[in-house]
Amino acid sequence: MNQFQYVRPTKPQAAIDAVAKDANARFIAGGTNLVDLMKRGVMTPQKLVDINRLDFRKIEREGNTLRIGALALNSTVANDRQVRERHPLLALALNAGASPQLRNMATVGGNMLQRTRCAYFYDITMPCNKRQPGSGCGALEGINRMHAIFGFSDKCIAVHPSDMSVALVALDATVQVSGPKGNRSIPFADFHRLPGDTPEKDTNLEPGELITAVDLPDSPFTKHVHYQKVRERASYAFALLSVAAALDIDNGTIRAARLAMGGVAHKPWRLTAAEQALVGKPATEATFQQAAAVAMQGAKAFKYNEYKLRLGPNAIVQALKTAAAV
Ligand code: SF4
């Protein structure tokens, strides 16, 4: 691992200044992804700005919103009474991620900022436009069974690995950030980027911007929810594909729906057209199959991930059936 400077500011502005003024500085919180990347030489920051002393750990209601501090641990959020009662989909998605040990270290902000697990990104002997812009994409013609079926470009076909983020995009979360130009709010759907010609940029954060909290508005999705994660072993594995499903059902009819997929794109993939196809329909398997067909429109596979074109609709139907039955 490269040598690096390490600082631990106690004020947000000092942390922001430290990163904004130094292109080689990075924030670190739980470090569950960044330290791995540094050990492998994938990321080589020359300064780490440890933000663990900042006061961003609270989970509290503000009006009709639940504000979750960016430094709240994944395990804390998953076990929080307000989260479990008002946003159970988020608790399910968090508990589907990683392992208990990692959930006890990883923070909400860090979870959103974790980087793709594309094997070519982690292998510094291989071409990767995300790690080294202009070097090519090893996965495009390589082993791409974990890769995207939506929203990819000819520069990068990686997927975002977070489970938590799939629930947050489904639940219309908003990201609060603080930076050199002040504070701003970013709708969760606009927080992560598609790769386009700049796959090295995972998010729309500006240099030096620090995530301070995630806001969740109250919603009717407090009961009929499910997070369906398909993976190669029962725990501690990234999703081949996942589905976050939330239904508001009145007398057997769907009043409102939220649907998003993970493991299919460079960002958590909200399925708004499929949601609209569910509203006003009976909560039956036939309805769910129609919505799944809408959800998969435009999907395109590569050599080794064609199975996702069949797994996707099956997982959507299963998630919706399970949510409706809760
Ligand atoms: Fe790199 Fe993206 Fe290609 Fe993976 S898919 S090798 S992350 S450019």
Side-chain angles (χ1 to χ4, degrees), residues 113-133:
L113 294 176
Q114 63 179 300
R115 311 215 58 192
T116 185
R117 264 46 179 204
C118 172
Y120 298 91
F121 176 66
Y122 280 77
D123 184 343
I124 60 171
T125 68
M126 300 297 288
C128 171
N129 288 323
K130 184 179 282 297
R131 176 172 28 78
Q132 191 179 349

Side-chain angles (χ1 to χ4, degrees), residues 124-176:
I124 60 171
T125 68
M126 300 297 288
C128 171
N129 288 323
K130 184 179 282 297
R131 176 172 28 78
Q132 191 179 349
S135 63
C137 171
L140 207 52
E141 302 293 331
I143 305 300
N144 44 36
R145 60 188 297 279
M146 298 292 287
H147 288 73
I149 55 173
F150 291 112
F152 50 80
S153 72
D154 61 354
K155 301 288 188 298
C156 179
I157 61 171
V159 298
H160 195 266
S162 165
D163 292 300
M164 180 196 75
S165 295
V166 185
L168 289 178
V169 78
L171 294 169
D172 287 326
T174 301
V175 186
Q176 302 297 339

